[in-house]
């Protein structure tokens, strides 16, 4: 019987075309039935036609259909992949970032952590819960892979509402290790054994060794990282380059230095001045730059590369506005290897999945979704226990209450719990203005936050 894979949010060309290319390059998935779903019929039709034309041109053995009826799409699904947003993504993101700052809350980015991450969560989790309710009713044994952010808050809330659902969060930030460590250490990535863990966008490299010798590679990482990252170009360099040359720079799959022809940065520790502090004071390498890691730390505002963060946001916004997505027979994300691993009983170790913390990180409770390595086989995804150093564990522990209250605020539609979520968040140091801030955001982000009473 053909494997049925449903893409929810497939009207987004960035997600739809990219995921289809990942699937189409997989011989293990040959013969699969791909169902495209979106609430926008016009954009969905574009993705469907592009997919059909591509399959015909490449003579590949897949079937593709499309529907705006989610319940119909999910019938018989074995795998469901979700990537959605609501409303005008960047206009709402601007509000998430800027309005809390106007009230004096020093947050560095506003997407996944801090107040911005909270309001982003409050908008996007309800429709994802609706999708999951249909999965639980129609195809309860399906594996559901989520690419939407804020990843850890989405996964935490879904697992609280639907504890029996096979729901897994996927993020490509772990791929940064593949881009940087071989160049830094002077060895192929295939010669490195690595493990990283934490919360999504708040993870660190925990273990590193050389496969050929079995020698611990972390002393080399600590010794070489400062000289490497101090000179590595960042998004201020990339934005300047794109403006000077009038063309977009593709940064995924290569280091920023490669993208700019080998040049060093004009700015020491570009995108990584917070990263530098974490490396020096906690002695572990973050797997993300300041924009992501800094969203979860109160003192990050003091030491983050704000110019780099603002230039990254500008570049990213321009890139998505001008890039022309296309289907390519090239593996870019990790969900297809996971599906292959389940279908073939591979038993391989996947570098990072977001799943409920069943003892994988001792400093965190079972209800919170953690990002850990896992074994993938025909029975599913099995997280691996890691040893989290006390200092990093302390940073992670600051997120326990805010994740708990975010989930409760969404599930109960409670304005009071939103206020409490902000008041327990370590990024926030304000009190009296918080109810007004919450009311303003509910009003500005209507109708998505109207359910909060």
């Amino acid at each position: 019987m053909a494997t049925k894979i449903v893409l929810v949010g497939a009207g987004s060309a960035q997600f739809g075309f990219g995921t289809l290319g990942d699937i189409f390059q997989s011989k293990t998935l040959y013969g699969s039935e791909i169902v495209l779903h979106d609430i926008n019929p016009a954009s969905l039709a574009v993705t469907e036609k592009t997919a059909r034309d591509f399959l015909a041109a490449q003579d590949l053995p897949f079937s593709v259909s499309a529907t705006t009826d989610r319940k119909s799409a999910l019938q018989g699904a074995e795998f469901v992949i979700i990537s959605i947003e609501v409303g005008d993504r960047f206009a709402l993101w601007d509000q998430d970032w800027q309005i809390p700052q106007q009230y004096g809350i020093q947050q560095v980015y506003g997407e996944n952590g801090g107040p911005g991450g909270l309001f982003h969560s409050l908008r996007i989790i309800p429709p994802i819960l609706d999708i999951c309710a249909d999965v639980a009713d129609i195809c309860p044994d399906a594996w559901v892979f989520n690419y939407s952010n804020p990843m850890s808050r989405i996964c935490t809330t879904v697992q609280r509402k639907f504890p029996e659902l096979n729901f897994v969060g996927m993020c490509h930030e772990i791929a940064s290790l593949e881009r940087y460590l071989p160049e830094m250490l002077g060895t192929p990535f295939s010669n490195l054994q690595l493990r990283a863990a934490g919360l999504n966008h708040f993870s660190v490299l925990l273990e590193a060794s050389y496969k050929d010798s079995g020698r611990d590679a972390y002393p080399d990482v600590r010794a070489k990282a400062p000289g490497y990252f101090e000179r590595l170009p960042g998004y201020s360099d990339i934005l300047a380059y794109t403006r000077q040359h009038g063309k977009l720079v593709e940064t995924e799959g290569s280091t920023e230095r490669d993208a700019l022809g080998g040049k060093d940065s004009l700015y020491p520790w570009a995108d990584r001045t917070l990263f530098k502090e974490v490396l020096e004071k906690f002695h572990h390498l973050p797997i993300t730059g300041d924009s992501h890691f800094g969203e979860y730390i109160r003192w990050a505002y003091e030491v983050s590369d704000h110019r780099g963060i603002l230039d990254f946001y500008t570049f990213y916004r321009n890139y998505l506005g001008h890039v022309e997505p296309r289907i390519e027979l090239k593996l870019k994300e990790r969900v297809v290897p996971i599906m292959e691993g389940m279908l073939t009983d591979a038993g391989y170790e996947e570098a990072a999945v977001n799943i409920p913390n069943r003892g994988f990180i001792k400093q965190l409770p079972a209800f919170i979704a953690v990002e850990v390595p896992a074994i993938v086989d025909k029975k599913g995804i099995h997280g691996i226990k890691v040893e989290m150093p006390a200092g990093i564990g302390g940073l992670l522990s600051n997120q326990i209450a805010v994740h708990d209250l975010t989930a409760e605020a969404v599930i109960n539609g409670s304005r009071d719990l939103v206020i409490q979520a902000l008041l327990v968040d370590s990024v926030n140091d304000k009190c009296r203005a918080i109810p007004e801030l919450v009311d303003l955001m509910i009003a500005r982000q209507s109708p998505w936050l109207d359910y909060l009473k």
Side-chain angles (χ1 to χ4, degrees):
M1 183 179 295
T3 301
K4 183 173 181 179
I5 305 168
V6 180
L7 308 188
V8 179
S12 164
Q14 195 77 27
F15 165 62
F17 291 3
T19 306
L20 286 169
D22 281 8
I23 293 171
F24 292 162
Q25 61 80 44
S26 170
K27 292 183 179 179
T28 301
L29 295 178
Y30 273 8
S32 294
E33 175 188 359
I34 316 300
V35 180
L36 310 174
H37 168 70
D38 203 283
I39 60 174
N40 184 325
S43 61
L44 182 62
V46 171
T47 303
E48 181 185 20
K49 182 179 187 305
T50 305
R52 289 180 180 276
D53 291 348
F54 185 89
L55 290 176
Q58 298 290 330
D59 192 26
L60 292 172
F62 294 90
S63 66
V64 172
S65 61
T67 178
T68 57
D69 183 341
R70 188 168 68 223
K71 294 181 184 296
S72 173
L74 292 173
Q75 294 290 336
E78 294 171 67
F79 300 108
V80 180
I81 307 174
I82 301 171
S83 182
I84 68 167
E85 273 291 352
V86 298
D88 185 325
R89 178 183 184 183
F90 285 103
L92 292 167
W93 191 345
D94 286 343
Q95 292 178 3
D96 292 341
W97 193 349
Q98 295 168 8
I99 292 177
Q101 284 189 339
Q102 186 66 32
Y103 279 82
I105 302 174
Q106 295 180 323
Q107 61 173 353
V108 302
Y109 197 49
E111 183 190 16
N112 297 295
L118 173 62
F119 292 111
H120 190 184
S121 300
L122 295 171
R123 290 194 307 276
I124 198 168
I125 292 176
I128 290 179
L129 291 179
D130 289 342
I131 295 167
C132 290
D134 284 346
V135 172
D137 182 52
I138 297 168
C139 50
D141 295 327
W143 282 87
V144 184
F145 299 97
N146 171 66
Y147 275 100
S148 294
N149 282 323
M151 181 67 69
S152 60
R153 300 200 205 199
I154 289 172
C155 294
T156 295
T157 308
V158 168
Q159 293 293 351
R160 181 165 299 186
K161 182 73 172 179
F162 301 100
E164 302 303 317
L165 205 63
N166 299 314
F167 191 88
V168 182
M170 299 297 302
C171 178
H172 64 248
E173 288 296 329
I174 192 72
S176 66
L177 298 177
E178 186 169 354
R179 296 202 299 273
Y180 303 130
L181 291 186
E183 186 174 271
M184 183 197 307
L185 299 176
T187 191
F189 187 74
S190 59
N191 188 40
L192 293 171
Q193 179 69 42
L194 308 170
R195 278 186 177 168
L199 298 175
N200 181 243
H201 290 179
F202 200 28
S203 290
V204 299
L205 180 66
L206 295 175
E207 303 173 18
S209 62
Y210 298 105
K211 292 181 180 179
D212 56 2
S213 66
R215 185 169 60 88
D216 186 3
Y218 224 132
D220 291 341
V221 171
R222 293 187 177 102
K224 295 181 178 183
Y228 180 83
F229 286 110
E230 183 179 17
R231 298 187 298 274
L232 188 71
Y235 277 92
S236 293
D237 304 287
I238 291 170
L239 182 62
Y241 181 91
T242 61
R243 287 173 168 171
Q244 178 182 353
H245 295 278
K247 63 179 183 179
L248 295 174
V249 174
E250 177 58 62
T251 59
E252 295 295 334
S254 64
T255 68
E256 288 82 349
R257 181 175 284 108
D258 291 336
L260 299 186
K263 294 181 179 179
D264 285 347
S265 178
L266 294 176
Y267 312 101
W269 289 92
D271 301 338
R272 290 182 172 84
T273 49
L274 164 65
F275 178 108
K276 174 178 181 287
E277 298 293 334
V278 174
L279 181 62
E280 289 180 351
K281 293 178 172 61
F282 292 85
H283 315 299
H284 281 77
L285 187 79
I287 67 169
T288 58
D290 291 6
S291 60
H292 290 327
F293 210 85
E295 291 197 271
Y296 301 95
I297 301 174
R298 177 73 184 94
W299 46 267
Y301 195 85
E302 175 193 352
V303 298
S304 292
D305 178 12
H306 294 288
R307 171 177 50 205
I309 291 168
L310 290 168
D311 287 344
F312 169 68
Y313 182 72
T314 300
F315 172 84
Y316 181 53
R317 191 168 187 164
N318 290 343
Y319 180 86
L320 291 184
H322 292 92
V323 71
E324 296 182 4
R326 62 184 185 275
I327 299 175
E328 300 177 282
L329 296 178
K330 181 179 179 181
L331 183 65
K332 296 181 180 180
E333 299 286 356
R334 297 300 307 162
V335 69
V336 166
I338 290 176
M339 293 190 294
E340 292 174 332
M342 290 182 182
L343 293 171
T344 63
D345 195 23
Y348 82 97
E349 182 173 322
E350 177 61 37
V353 293
N354 289 268
I355 55 179
N357 183 39
R358 299 190 175 103
F360 307 131
I361 297 178
K362 64 183 178 183
Q363 291 94 334
L364 299 177
F367 73 77
I368 200 168
V370 293
E371 188 166 88
V372 292
I375 299 298
V376 179
D377 60 24
K378 65 181 180 181
K379 295 181 180 179
I381 295 173
H382 317 281
I384 295 171
K385 184 176 182 179
V386 297
E387 287 297 320
M388 188 64 62
I392 299 297
L395 292 176
L396 298 174
S397 295
N398 290 333
Q399 292 298 309
I400 295 172
V402 73
H403 277 68
D404 183 24
L405 284 163
T406 299
E408 288 300 307
V410 172
I411 291 171
N412 294 289
S414 171
R415 168 186 173 274
D416 284 348
L417 292 178
V418 174
I419 292 170
Q420 291 174 30
L422 283 171
L423 291 175
V424 303
D425 193 334
S426 61
V427 172
N428 170 49
D429 66 349
K430 306 302 177 187
C431 178
R432 291 180 180 173
I434 294 303
E436 181 180 311
L437 167 61
V438 170
D439 288 340
L440 177 62
M441 292 296 285
I442 291 173
R444 291 285 180 89
Q445 300 195 352
S446 177
W448 301 285
L449 300 188
D450 289 352
Y451 71 98
L452 297 167
K453 306 296 183 184

